[in-house]
Amino acid sequence: MKKYVEISNYFRNKIVEGKYKANDKLPSESEVGAKFDASKMTVKKAIDILVDEGIVSKRRGAGTFVKSINPIEMEQMVMANQFRGTTALNPNHDVTSTVHLFETVKSPENVASKLNIAQNAPVYKIERVRNIDGKPVVMETTYMPVAIVPSLSLGDVESSIYDYLEHELKLAISTARRIITVRKATTLESERLSLEPHDPVAVVEQVGFLNNGSAFEYSFSVHRYDEYAFEIILHRKVT
Amino acid sequence: MKKYVEISNYFRNKIVEGKYKANDKLPSESEVGAKFDASKMTVKKAIDILVDEGIVSKRRGAGTFVKSINPIEMEQMVMANQFRGTTALNPNHDVTSTVHLFETVKSPENVASKLNIAQNAPVYKIERVRNIDGKPVVMETTYMPVAIVPSLSLGDVESSIYDYLEHELKLAISTARRIITVRKATTLESERLSLEPHDPVAVVEQVGFLNNGSAFEYSFSVHRYDEYAFEIILHRKVT
DNA sequence: AAGTGGTCTAGACCACATT
DNA sequence: ATGTGGTCTAGACCACTTC
C-alpha cells in the first residue's frame, strides 16, 4: 500500500465517521509525518487528495480544516467524481441495452475531428438505448475507430463496451472530456425514451481517451430529464 | 515565478502552438530537469498539471505523450475547469441583474443542512435574473449566511456578489460542489426567462466554500436550455 | 517569535515498458 | 538491459498566520 494513500484514507475515514467534525483542525504536517513515519512531501501529497475531494481546505500559516459539510453530504461526496459506464454505476439494478444500429461507416468530418483521425477512416457507429430495470433512460450514439477497437461484436455492444475494452483488449481508459447541454427531445428520441414530444433531455457529449493518449470514443448521450444528475467538485484557479 | 508553473507553461505553450503534435513524446523527466535545472519532483509536478488539464498522458516505463486532440479543441480545453460567476465568464458581454427578491429570512431546514448552520439562523434570500446583452439567461435563487456576509447591499446584489465577497470582505472563495439536473420550467421561470411554458431548463445546484472551509453560498440556478453548456475533464480513478 | 503549509533539492529504490 | 515514470526521504528555505 502506498503510504500517501494510507494516510489520506486514515483521515478521510476519521472525517466521514465524524471523529473530525466541521471546522476542526487536522494535525499539522509535521505531526502527521511523525505519526506515520513519513516525510513532509508524502504527507502533503496525502492531504492534497482530500483537498481535491473537497472535504478539507488548507490555509498556509494556519493549518488544515474540515469543511462545513454535514456528515450525510460528506459520504455522498466521497463517492462522487469517478467516471464509469452506466453498468458500473448501477450495480443493484438490471442494466440492459437495446441496440438500434451497429455498423461500420466512413468517419464523417465532425467525428474525425473529435477523434483526431483521418476523415473517412472506418469507425463503428452504434446507437443503443440503455434501460435500467426495464425503463429506457438514455439513448447513446457512439463512434469508435475500428483501428483501435478491432472486432467489436454485437454481444459486447449489448452488454458493456467498457468491459470489452478493458478486459478483452486490455486497453486502459484514462480520461474523458464531457460537455453537458440541454434541449428538447426530437421525435425519435421521445419515442425511444418513452417521453412526450419536446420533453427536456440532457445531452452529454463525450470524448474518451486511453492512457496512451488516443481518443477511442466519441459519443452523444441523450438522457431522460428525470433520470439524470451530474455532480462535480470545482476548484478555483487563483492564478 | 514558481518553477513548476514555468515548466508546465513552457510545454503547454509548445503543445497549443503545435510544436508538439498529437502522440508526440515529450522529453523524459530527467531531460526536462536538466534543461530547467530542476529536480525530478518538480518536473513531475509540472507535467502532472498538464495531465490534470487533459492535454497529455503519462505511462510509466514509456514516457509522456500529447493526447489526440486537434489544436482547436486543445485551446478550448486549456480554458476549461475553472469556476467563475456569470460576470467573469462573459467579459465581452453586458451582464446585468434584475433583482426580484432580496430579504433576510430564517434558514429553512434544507438550506441550513447544505450550509451546515443552525436551522433558523438568519440568511439572505436572493432571487435575481441575470441578463447577458439584455437577454435573460439564468434565474438564480441564492442563500447566504448573514454571519459570514454581513451588510450585503442591494447594489452588490445587482452587480456582482462575488466581487463584493472577494474585494470588499476579502473572503477567499476556494471550491464549489455542483449538481446539474434537467427539468421543465415552471410558470414563474418561463415568464422570467422569456420561455414557453414547459420548455427545458438546466438546474445547477451549488454549494460554495471559502478558503477556511465554511459554506458561504447555497444556490439554485435555472438556465435557459439554449444558453447553457458545461464542460469538464474527468479522470478515471484506478484504485 | 513560533508554527503552519508551499516549494525545491539530490538523491534513493521501485514498477513497468520497450528493445 | 536500459530507460521511463512513481514513490519516498531528510533536509532546506520561503510565505504566511497567529500570538
Side-chain angles (χ1 to χ4, degrees), chain A residues 57 67-68 70 73 84 113 174-178 180 182 184 199-200 211 213 225 230-232 234 236, chain B residues 57 67-68 70 73 84 113 174-178 180 182 184 199-200 211 213 225 230-232 234 236:
Chain A
S57 56
K67 279 200 191 173
S68 282
N70 73 44
E73 305 273 320
R84 299 277 179 223
S113 160
S174 70
T175 65
R177 179 188 179 207
R178 198 176 276 187
I180 301 167
V182 177
K184 299 178 193 179
D199 267 1
N211 73 353
Y225 67 97
F230 183 72
E231 175 174 349
I232 191 77
L234 300 171
R236 189 137 199 201
Chain B
S57 56
K67 279 200 191 171
S68 282
N70 72 45
E73 305 272 321
R84 299 276 179 224
S113 160
S174 70
T175 65
R177 179 189 178 204
R178 199 175 276 187
I180 301 166
V182 177
K184 299 178 192 177
D199 266 2
N211 226 356
Y225 68 97
F230 183 73
E231 175 174 350
I232 192 77
L234 299 171
R236 190 136 198 202

Side-chain angles (χ1 to χ4, degrees), chain A residues 41-233:
Chain A
M41 289 291 282
T42 303
V43 173
K44 182 180 186 308
K45 186 165 185 177
I47 304 301
D48 280 347
I49 291 174
L50 305 182
V51 174
D52 282 343
E53 289 174 351
I55 65 178
V56 305
S57 56
K58 303 211 277 192
R59 277 153 54 217
R60 174 156 47 175
T64 303
F65 302 86
V66 179
K67 279 200 191 173
S68 282
I69 304 170
N70 73 44
I72 299 115
E73 305 273 320
M74 189 71 81
E75 276 199 83
Q76 290 173 23
M77 288 177 69
V78 169
M79 313 284 283
N81 268 23
Q82 311 202 11
F83 103 80
R84 299 277 179 223
T86 316
T87 319
L89 277 175
N90 294 278
N92 299 320
H93 296 271
D94 177 36
V95 178
T96 58
S97 291
T98 310
V99 178
H100 290 274
L101 180 77
F102 177 40
E103 62 181 17
T104 305
V105 300
K106 289 180 183 171
S107 169
E109 189 279 331
N110 68 324
V111 173
S113 160
K114 297 285 181 183
L115 293 172
N116 204 35
I117 57 177
Q119 195 171 341
N120 296 325
V123 292
Y124 299 110
K125 179 177 183 181
I126 303 156
E127 286 182 18
R128 56 180 186 169
V129 172
R130 307 282 276 166
N131 313 288
I132 296 180
D133 297 333
K135 183 182 173 189
V137 296
V138 55
M139 179 180 149
E140 298 176 350
T141 304
T142 304
Y143 296 89
M144 293 183 163
V146 175
I148 292 180
V149 191
S151 63
L152 185 69
S153 74
L154 182 59
D156 300 318
V157 173
E158 283 172 335
S159 53
S160 171
I161 296 177
Y162 276 30
D163 273 359
Y164 174 69
L165 293 176
E166 297 206 297
H167 299 129
E168 299 299 318
L169 295 179
K170 306 293 184 193
L171 297 176
I173 298 166
S174 70
T175 65
R177 179 188 179 207
R178 198 176 276 187
I179 298 171
I180 301 167
T181 53
V182 177
R183 61 171 169 75
K184 299 178 193 179
T186 64
T187 310
L188 176 65
E189 289 160 358
S190 49
E191 277 171 20
R192 288 193 180 162
L193 294 175
S194 304
L195 289 169
E196 298 299 312
H198 306 310
D199 267 1
V201 288
V203 181
V204 180
E205 185 182 351
Q206 172 166 303
V207 182
F209 294 90
L210 300 174
N211 73 353
N212 65 11
S214 305
F216 74 95
E217 170 195 50
Y218 173 57
S219 70
F220 279 95
S221 300
V222 179
H223 294 252
R224 278 181 67 97
Y225 67 97
D226 53 355
E227 295 285 346
Y228 183 74
F230 183 72
E231 175 174 349
I232 191 77
I233 293 162

Side-chain angles (χ1 to χ4, degrees), chain B residues 29-71:
Chain B
E29 288 185 353
S30 61
E31 287 173 296
V32 175
K35 181 179 171 65
F36 287 90
D37 189 30
S39 72
K40 188 182 194 302
M41 291 291 282
T42 302
V43 174
K44 183 180 186 305
K45 185 165 186 177
I47 305 301
D48 280 348
I49 290 174
L50 305 181
V51 173
D52 283 345
E53 289 175 351
I55 66 179
V56 304
S57 56
K58 304 211 275 192
R59 278 150 56 215
R60 173 156 50 174
T64 302
F65 302 86
V66 179
K67 279 200 191 171
S68 282
I69 304 169
N70 72 45

Side-chain angles (χ1 to χ4, degrees), chain B residues 206-217:
Chain B
Q206 172 165 303
V207 182
F209 294 89
L210 300 173
N211 226 356
N212 63 13
S214 305
F216 74 96
E217 170 195 49

Side-chain angles (χ1 to χ4, degrees), chain A residues 184, chain B residues 184-187 189-191 193-201 224-225:
Chain A
K184 299 178 193 179
Chain B
K184 299 178 192 177
T186 64
T187 310
E189 288 160 0
S190 48
E191 277 172 19
L193 294 174
S194 305
L195 289 169
E196 298 299 311
H198 306 310
D199 266 2
V201 288
R224 277 181 69 95
Y225 68 97

